[in-house]
Amino acid sequence: MTLKSNVCKQVYLLLGAMLLGVLLNILLVRYIKHSVFSDFQGIAFYLPGNTVFKSTLYYSFSNEFLQENKVSSETGINNELYFKFPKTDIVPTNFRLDFGNDSSASLVSIDSMGIIYSDKSIVINQKELFSHIIMNSAAINLNKYERTLGFNALKSPFDPYIVFDPLIKILLDYHPLKWVVLLGPFLIFIAFNLKRWSVTLKLSKVDVLFMAFIVCIPLKIAWTTFVTILICAYGIFLAIREKKFDFKNNDALLLLGFFLVLLIFGRPSSLKVIDHQLAFVLFYFIIATIKWNWNRISRFYIYFMLVLNAIIVTSGIGFLLSFHDVFGLEVSQYFFEIKTYSGNIREWLYYDHAVFLTFFGLIGVVLLKDIVNLNRENRGVVMAYHVLLLATILLVGARISLLIYGVFIINLNLKIKPKLRLASNTIVFLSILLFLFKFIGSVDQNRLGLWSVTWQAIKEKPLLGYGLGSSDQILHQEYFMKKANTVIPEILNHSHNQFLTVLLEIGFIGTSLLVILIVVYLKRTGQYKSMPMVLFIFGLCYVFLTESILQTSKPLFVLCFLFAMITKIPKSVIPNELDSQA
């Protein structure tokens, strides 16, 4: 089998897995809808002790609750509130539990919920039940972590209620075939490729470790940290055994410099404050001690992101095709309220941040440029990668990633001198920065409030800042919120702008040193001439405009890895090993 036909075969197999996944998802939703329509009897809430409260359950067939669509609770056994639903021609979507109008009532507790069929019941425990509460009135004090409900008697009108996820969605989440339907076709696809690669490639321990790191990107941070430590330990072991230490490596020193600036000017009060910044130290040792096959690792990264985006798109298409059945709404409503609904297509991921995941995918676009120049038979993979990445960006509503994609495409197809590339990208970025800061109020009120409070705090202590990890505390200080004339919700714990967050925590002096480190590095290494490095830096700058990406562990570890991979792009790349045989 030729190289070209093999590449095409992989693309067709991936598309086949996507189509199968979409079809199975539709069939599963239709099956659940049919079972609800034919056998569903009602909903029961199980209460602890002798808890009693007056309640009414409203149900809807879209996203509106009407007075005629309500059920009063029936007294059951074992402290049970039972709501028997009338037979209807349409399956109910959302439901709302109202607690009456007695403002003197005490704290409400619900142990679990039962979805009652004619011959069985599905019981949802307290933890999962509270995760399915998607809305509550101002008269309710909801604490999802402690799983308690309290009444705010001072609110007028006093109308305490909570709204749950659609009935079919809850049932789908608890169906044993949910993950099999979505991931099964892709696991088969991956298994097929793993078998093929195990025959055609002789993977080294370093290859396996770096591939394991890539696989951990959408998983829990604990796995990413563990694999990083393994790679670091193995690198130190190799350096000791072979007596080869490259601790003066400029790429490694840049990361170590970042850590030292954050350590000195961040003034951490404990190790916990600076724990995820230790990623800089770990990758300092990794870069200084390990040499790896750039071609093999970068291609694995591209294939992994290709499959990851394929699964997200499959989940998204299946969700949209079943959107009316689940929510009772037209598909257009999904895009009008994309922030509300897009989390549903990423909930199968342990790490599901829309902007960060799509940015990691965008780095694959930069890597693809080098691969295509060497092997034009890969165009089928390139086209599939671009289409799936764009579809993912649109489905998850990552607007800043769409902007970055446009910037990347223009740069990759624009042949200009390095200094002119730097200058033009800087001008475009500064223009977008000024535009965003001027009109952020009309785009995002939450970020307007966060940025206003942050700036008020920065002006009070501009040179050295308030210390690493201080954002959460500073943003919620009443003094700064009053000065900015806004209130910051407790759930928001950083500025959602990395530039402002760095200025707030380490001040203008610390921030200036970070910038100086980058400029000196680019000049000394000549990396300012490297288009992949330039796009990596400017891509990060655009993400910094709307996210504090360095405030959490997962993206920082991945960004260090991507930086290491980009610095290792060779002038000439060996032939495509992953696709060399059928």
Side-chain angles (χ1 to χ4, degrees):
M1 184 179 292
T2 65
L3 176 62
K4 185 174 181 179
S5 63
N6 182 60
V7 172
C8 291
K9 180 181 178 181
Q10 297 305 308
V11 174
Y12 291 145
L13 285 173
L14 185 61
L15 291 176
M18 292 178 66
L19 289 173
L20 181 58
V22 170
L23 177 61
L24 291 175
N25 181 77
I26 294 173
L27 291 175
L28 182 58
V29 171
R30 294 293 172 88
Y31 168 77
I32 292 174
K33 180 181 178 181
H34 175 74
S35 66
V36 171
F37 185 76
S38 59
D39 298 324
F40 176 65
Q41 298 292 310
I43 291 176
F45 293 94
Y46 304 104
L47 315 175
N50 295 317
T51 305
V52 177
F53 55 86
K54 185 179 179 181
S55 57
T56 304
L57 196 69
Y58 286 83
Y59 56 93
S60 72
F61 301 104
S62 57
N63 59 350
E64 296 182 2
F65 296 97
L66 305 176
Q67 281 295 324
E68 58 266 28
N69 296 330
K70 64 180 180 180
V71 185
S72 297
S73 59
E74 299 178 5
T75 303
I77 60 174
N78 298 325
N79 302 307
E80 171 190 293
L81 284 177
Y82 179 61
F83 299 90
K84 185 175 182 179
F85 275 62
K87 282 292 183 181
T88 62
D89 295 332
I90 310 175
V91 174
T93 54
N94 294 77
F95 54 98
R96 186 182 88 187
L97 182 62
D98 283 41
F99 298 100
N101 55 9
D102 183 4
S103 60
S104 64
S106 59
L107 194 71
V108 174
S109 184
I110 303 175
D111 272 349
S112 57
M113 180 182 77
I115 299 174
I116 312 301
Y117 287 87
S118 58
D119 59 345
K120 64 178 181 179
S121 64
I122 298 174
V123 178
I124 299 170
N125 64 42
Q126 189 183 64
K127 181 180 179 180
E128 296 298 330
L129 176 61
F130 272 76
S131 71
H132 284 294
I133 298 175
I134 59 174
M135 188 184 301
N136 59 279
S137 67
I140 285 283
N141 294 321
L142 173 66
N143 189 324
K144 287 190 176 184
Y145 298 102
E146 296 183 3
R147 299 187 284 280
T148 58
L149 296 168
F151 294 147
N152 187 350
L154 299 178
K155 287 295 179 182
S156 181
F158 183 72
D159 58 343
Y161 65 81
I162 53 178
V163 180
F164 295 89
D165 270 324
L167 182 60
I168 294 179
K169 182 184 183 306
I170 295 176
L171 291 169
L172 182 63
D173 285 348
Y174 286 90
H175 200 284
L177 292 179
K178 178 183 179 180
W179 304 121
V180 176
V181 162
L182 175 62
L183 300 178
F186 295 98
L187 291 176
I188 295 171
F189 173 80
I190 292 169
F192 174 82
N193 279 283
L194 286 176
K195 181 179 179 181
R196 183 172 62 90
W197 292 347
S198 66
V199 173
T200 59
L201 298 178
K202 294 181 179 179
L203 299 177
S204 67
K205 292 183 179 69
V206 172
D207 293 335
V208 173
L209 287 171
F210 276 102
M211 288 178 180
F213 180 93
I214 293 169
V215 171
C216 288
I217 288 176
L219 303 181
K220 292 181 178 180
I221 180 58
W223 287 103
T224 303
T225 306
F226 175 69
V227 174
T228 304
I229 293 173
L230 281 182
I231 298 173
C232 183
Y234 187 66
I236 294 173
F237 167 76
L238 289 178
I240 294 173
R241 187 183 68 180
E242 299 174 7
K243 297 181 180 181
K244 290 182 179 180
F245 299 89
D246 190 14
F247 294 143
K248 294 184 179 181
N249 182 292
N250 287 315
D251 306 324
L253 287 173
L254 177 64
L255 298 185
L256 185 61
F258 283 168
F259 177 78
L260 292 176
V261 170
L262 293 174
L263 180 65
I264 295 169
F265 291 90
R267 311 179 298 281
S269 56
S270 66
L271 180 62
K272 184 179 180 181
V273 175
I274 200 169
D275 58 353
H276 69 266
Q277 282 85 2
L278 289 172
F280 289 127
V281 178
L282 292 173
F283 273 91
Y284 164 76
F285 284 104
I286 289 171
I287 294 174
T289 59
I290 294 182
K291 296 185 181 299
W292 65 86
N293 188 320
W294 175 86
N295 180 71
R296 188 173 292 172
I297 300 304
S298 63
R299 290 182 188 281
F300 183 83
Y301 180 82
I302 289 168
Y303 276 111
F304 180 81
M305 295 307 299
L306 179 69
V307 175
L308 182 64
N309 285 326
I311 302 174
I312 295 175
V313 172
T314 300
S315 177
I317 294 174
F319 182 75
L320 290 179
L321 292 176
S322 303
F323 191 68
H324 181 72
D325 288 335
V326 176
F327 292 89
L329 302 172
E330 298 303 321
V331 173
S332 59
Q333 195 69 28
Y334 172 87
F335 293 99
F336 286 132
E337 299 181 42
I338 195 166
K339 285 189 176 181
T340 301
Y341 296 112
S342 64
N344 290 281
I345 69 175
R346 309 189 310 274
E347 62 183 1
W348 56 276
L349 293 161
Y350 279 108
Y351 185 77
D352 66 347
H353 196 291
V355 172
F356 299 165
L357 282 178
T358 50
F359 179 73
F360 300 156
L362 284 164
I363 298 303
V365 172
V366 178
L367 299 174
L368 276 168
K369 179 68 176 178
D370 291 279
I371 293 172
V372 175
N373 287 340
L374 292 167
N375 197 336
R376 298 190 180 279
E377 284 77 10
N378 275 317
R379 283 180 175 174
V381 173
V382 173
M383 184 178 297
Y385 192 95
H386 280 268
V387 170
L388 291 174
L389 177 60
L390 265 177
T392 298
I393 292 172
L394 294 173
L395 284 169
V396 302
R399 293 169 293 184
I400 197 68
S401 295
L402 189 61
L403 172 63
I404 297 170
Y405 179 81
V407 171
F408 279 13
I409 292 301
I410 292 172
N411 273 273
L412 290 170
N413 290 280
L414 195 64
K415 294 183 179 180
I416 55 176
K417 293 182 179 179
K419 290 184 178 180
L420 181 59
R421 185 182 302 280
L422 275 173
S424 58
N425 274 285
T426 301
I427 292 171
V428 172
F429 172 73
L430 291 176
S431 300
I432 293 173
L433 181 149
L434 293 173
F435 177 84
L436 188 61
F437 269 81
K438 185 174 182 178
F439 296 102
I440 188 62
S442 59
V443 178
D444 193 320
Q445 283 294 317
N446 280 332
R447 281 187 171 83
L448 174 63
L450 285 167
W451 295 2
S452 300
V453 172
T454 305
W455 184 244
Q456 292 298 329
I458 289 171
K459 289 193 296 183
E460 295 275 332
K461 207 171 181 180
L463 294 181
L464 296 176
Y466 296 84
L468 208 63
S470 61
S471 290
D472 191 10
Q473 179 185 356
I474 298 300
L475 289 175
H476 294 101
Q477 284 190 14
E478 189 174 348
Y479 171 73
F480 294 121
M481 288 193 289
K482 280 186 176 180
K483 292 196 72 172
N485 193 29
T486 188
V487 176
I488 304 300
E490 290 186 9
I491 195 173
L492 301 176
N493 57 8
H494 55 77
S495 304
H496 280 268
N497 181 299
Q498 190 65 62
F499 297 113
L500 291 176
T501 300
V502 172
L503 287 172
L504 178 72
E505 295 190 351
I506 65 173
F508 280 92
I509 296 178
T511 304
S512 299
L513 284 175
L514 290 178
V515 174
I516 291 171
L517 281 174
I518 295 171
V519 172
V520 170
Y521 165 79
L522 292 175
K523 182 68 176 177
R524 177 176 293 181
T525 61
Q527 283 284 357
Y528 72 91
K529 300 177 183 178
S530 166
M531 183 162 56
M533 180 59 72
V534 169
L535 293 185
F536 177 70
I537 291 174
F538 276 101
L540 265 181
C541 286
Y542 283 107
V543 175
F544 285 178
L545 290 177
T546 60
E547 305 291 342
S548 297
I549 190 171
L550 303 182
Q551 300 309 108
T552 52
S553 300
K554 172 68 75 170
L556 187 53
F557 274 82
V558 178
L559 290 176
C560 286
F561 164 76
L562 293 176
F563 169 77
M565 189 159 58
I566 288 174
T567 59
K568 294 296 184 292
I569 295 179
K571 293 181 180 180
S572 60
V573 185
I574 60 177
N576 187 347
E577 293 174 295
L578 291 178
D579 293 325
S580 60
Q581 296 184 28

